[in-house]
Amino acid sequence: MQFEYVNPLAGLGMLIIGLFLMVLGYWVYSITPVAVGIALAVLYRKYLLQILGNAY
């Protein structure tokens, strides 16, 4: 795995953790992971698209 793929995967992980916390009812604690996950996914969307198979 290349190093530049770590941040988008971490972003997806944080987003999933935040959504899981929302489902469990911890709305206050889920705000930060969701925000960080979205920010990392947006910042590294080029690499994220490559990981998901939509490489340009």
Side-chain angles (χ1 to χ4, degrees):
M1 177 181 289
Q2 296 180 6
F3 182 70
E4 62 263 8
Y5 292 153
V6 173
N7 284 334
L9 289 177
L12 280 179
M14 291 290 284
L15 185 61
I16 291 170
I17 289 170
L19 293 176
F20 183 70
L21 287 173
M22 278 186 187
V23 169
L24 292 178
Y26 298 107
W27 290 94
V28 174
Y29 298 117
S30 66
I31 295 170
T32 304
V34 169
V36 171
I38 290 172
L40 286 174
V42 169
L43 287 173
Y44 296 102
R45 66 185 170 270
K46 179 180 113 178
Y47 299 120
L48 190 58
L49 291 174
Q50 287 177 356
I51 293 170
L52 297 176
N54 298 328
Y56 289 104

